[in-house]
Amino acid sequence: MHEENRPAPAAPPAPTLFDWEFATDPYPAYAWLREHSPVHRTKLPSGVEAWLVTRYADARQALADQRLSKNPAHHAEPAHAKGKTGIPGERKAELMTHLLNIDPPDHTRLRRLVSKAFTPRRVAEFTPRVQELTDHLIDGFAARGEADLIHEFAFPLPIYAICEMLGVPREDQDDFRDWAGMMIRHGGGPRGGVARSVKKMRNYLVELIHRKRDDPGEDLISGLIRASDHGEHLTENEAAAMAFILLFAGFETTVNLIGNGLHSLFMNPGQRTRLQDSLARGESDLLAGGVEELLRYDGPVELATWRFATRPLTLGGQEVAAGDPVLVVLAAADRDPARFAEPDTLDLSRTDNQHLGYGHGIHYCLGAPLARLEGQTALATLLTRLPDLELAVDPSELRWRGGLIMRGLRTLPVSFTPAPTSAKAP
């Protein structure tokens, strides 16, 4: 056969998305999509059809494109399907009025008011308390020589931290831990358990807001109540929804940041040794840059939250119709070789690292400073206090939670040489 008559080689078959094998390691599938179908229409496990955006340049454009609305009212599907495109249970609990579901000008107003209460200075002042909570949790298992770092450490740390920032009394914080535990299971608990937990959380927050109005403190909920701008205040529903989303967005992302970060370090022992050596010398630069690299390499948020086209638009060469859902795949964009050199290599000293792990544009994560603080404190303290920490199971035995937006481990069993407690108060 003449050379010019040979058929072009066929592209490899499209990968299967959203099964258990995919959940364990989605990155080969995302590499295929980036190369062969960078803006890809697919049916999600919920039955909703959506566009997946996988290249960095397209992702960055989509995250800042005002034609892509955050308001589920723009979804083209019937109303009954809209409940499949947000946080489970938020609609029935009347918690829709938060920053992840609204557009300017309401988004601009709410973010400005919330930013007055949730400041970088407030987060910085919270640093000693995050360290105390971290040490207290490690004290709970240090003498045993083994632990599940998801359930005993990565999960409770951000729950207790955000509860304290919000002003939830300590005697009520275990209730929040239980409700959050139900929400994070993504259907693994009893039927309807997520919606019930969200409703309980909402009712508690409304009651707490009433109490804080009469007896305000220096906590975040008191700050939300006081926040005003040109006579504007947060309504009770808005304050409850904002407290809810700060808790919801603040705990599961940090659970996964710590869990995925530790997993990545276990799988890359040379990088882990570099970090531990740096910490032993009292340095902080590699830790700070390293947490950003862990966010890029295997971050806690796999897909950005839902967006809906308000009118027809072209994205990555694809025509997206009005009403179509668009999901930006942060995990794929952050491994795009067109943007990052050797993107599948973990390099804690990477400097050119404008990852999209916290989003981009007007919806850039408000809680990024708190997540950085918790991630850096958790990793540094664990690796310093338990220096020979290692996986207690074969990596192939680890299971990842099924869920559309977040990426995280179900468990992370570890073993280590038993260590003394810190003798610090909780």
Side-chain angles (χ1 to χ4, degrees):
M1 184 183 289
H2 292 295
E3 189 75 29
E4 61 269 20
N5 293 331
R6 286 184 180 170
T16 301
L17 304 178
F18 307 120
D19 61 6
W20 284 109
E21 186 177 344
F22 171 86
T24 299
D25 182 10
Y27 296 103
Y30 289 149
W32 189 96
L33 291 176
R34 276 196 310 266
E35 183 174 353
H36 299 287
S37 185
V39 178
H40 181 75
R41 190 171 177 87
T42 190
K43 180 173 281 192
L44 304 171
S46 64
V48 175
E49 290 198 357
W51 294 96
L52 302 181
V53 181
T54 56
R55 287 180 179 170
Y56 183 91
D58 296 333
R60 196 172 160 91
Q61 175 199 330
L63 290 172
D65 195 322
Q66 294 189 8
R67 296 170 298 178
L68 293 174
S69 168
K70 298 291 290 173
N71 188 339
H74 290 292
H75 192 190
E77 290 204 26
H80 69 82
K82 293 179 185 175
K84 299 177 180 179
T85 60
I87 296 170
E90 67 178 353
R91 184 178 296 276
K92 287 185 179 178
E94 299 178 1
L95 286 169
M96 296 289 289
T97 317
H98 58 68
L99 293 175
L100 294 184
N101 282 343
I102 55 175
D103 305 314
D106 285 338
H107 177 272
T108 310
R109 177 181 70 87
L110 282 183
R111 186 166 178 120
R112 186 172 60 231
L113 289 171
V114 174
S115 295
K116 288 176 171 242
F118 195 62
T119 61
R121 179 181 173 183
R122 183 187 291 270
V123 172
E125 290 171 348
F126 200 55
T127 300
R129 185 60 185 144
V130 170
Q131 184 66 61
E132 287 177 4
L133 288 168
T134 301
D135 279 315
H136 176 60
L137 289 169
I138 295 174
D139 285 347
F141 54 78
R144 284 208 322 262
E146 61 179 21
D148 174 2
L149 289 183
I150 299 298
H151 292 282
E152 296 182 75
F153 183 68
F155 176 71
L157 175 60
I159 283 288
Y160 292 140
I162 196 67
C163 278
E164 295 220 359
M165 286 198 82
L166 287 169
V168 176
R170 291 190 188 179
E171 60 268 22
D172 296 338
Q173 291 179 8
D174 283 337
D175 287 337
F176 267 80
R177 181 174 177 168
D178 291 343
W179 298 331
M182 182 60 68
M183 291 163 65
I184 206 172
R185 286 181 207 163
H186 297 303
R191 185 176 179 83
V194 175
R196 284 194 297 273
S197 294
V198 171
K199 193 167 185 178
K200 287 177 183 175
M201 195 177 288
R202 192 254 184 205
N203 291 341
Y204 178 88
L205 288 169
V206 169
E207 181 188 331
L208 187 60
I209 287 166
H210 280 304
R211 287 174 12 213
K212 297 287 185 185
R213 284 194 194 282
D214 297 332
D215 186 20
E218 294 305 312
D219 53 81
L220 191 49
I221 285 183
S222 298
L224 290 174
I225 293 167
R226 282 193 296 264
S228 64
D229 196 14
H230 305 296
E232 290 183 285
H233 294 265
L234 289 165
T235 67
E236 183 177 282
N237 264 352
E238 288 171 342
M242 288 311 309
F244 168 74
I245 200 59
L246 287 171
L247 185 131
F248 181 86
F251 89 85
E252 191 169 2
T253 50
T254 307
V255 175
N256 296 347
L257 168 58
I258 297 168
N260 297 8
L262 285 165
H263 177 261
S264 296
L265 292 173
F266 287 140
M267 296 300 99
N268 294 270
Q271 293 294 306
R272 171 190 168 164
T273 298
R274 287 182 63 199
L275 179 56
Q276 286 183 288
D277 290 347
S278 173
L279 292 170
R281 294 191 295 270
E283 299 167 351
S284 60
D285 288 354
L286 190 65
L287 173 66
V291 166
E292 301 307 306
E293 173 68 349
L294 292 168
L295 277 161
R296 182 202 68 81
Y297 180 76
D298 196 14
V301 184
E302 191 166 346
L303 283 73
T305 48
W306 294 83
R307 285 166 167 75
F308 307 92
T310 56
R311 54 182 185 269
L313 64 125
T314 302
L315 189 58
Q318 290 285 357
E319 300 301 319
V320 176
D324 280 359
V326 174
L327 289 165
V328 177
V329 187
L330 305 178
D334 279 343
R335 292 227 191 168
D336 188 345
R339 175 60 186 84
F340 299 100
E342 298 185 49
D344 294 321
T345 298
L346 180 71
D347 178 6
L348 299 182
S349 58
R350 190 184 296 270
T351 53
D352 181 16
N353 196 2
Q354 290 187 312
H355 63 78
L356 299 176
Y358 291 123
H360 172 66
I362 62 170
H363 290 282
Y364 183 84
C365 177
L366 191 68
L370 180 59
R372 286 189 173 108
L373 167 63
E374 291 174 339
Q376 290 178 25
T377 304
L379 292 177
T381 309
L382 267 177
L383 294 174
T384 301
R385 288 188 57 185
L386 309 174
D388 62 351
L389 192 70
E390 61 181 22
L391 269 177
V393 298
D394 188 275
S396 64
E397 295 181 38
L398 294 173
R399 294 291 176 264
W400 297 79
R401 285 194 303 274
L404 189 64
I405 302 298
M406 301 292 185
R407 172 167 170 76
L409 287 161
R410 290 177 179 271
T411 61
L412 189 60
V414 296
S415 58
F416 48 87
T417 301
T421 62
S422 64
K424 292 180 181 177

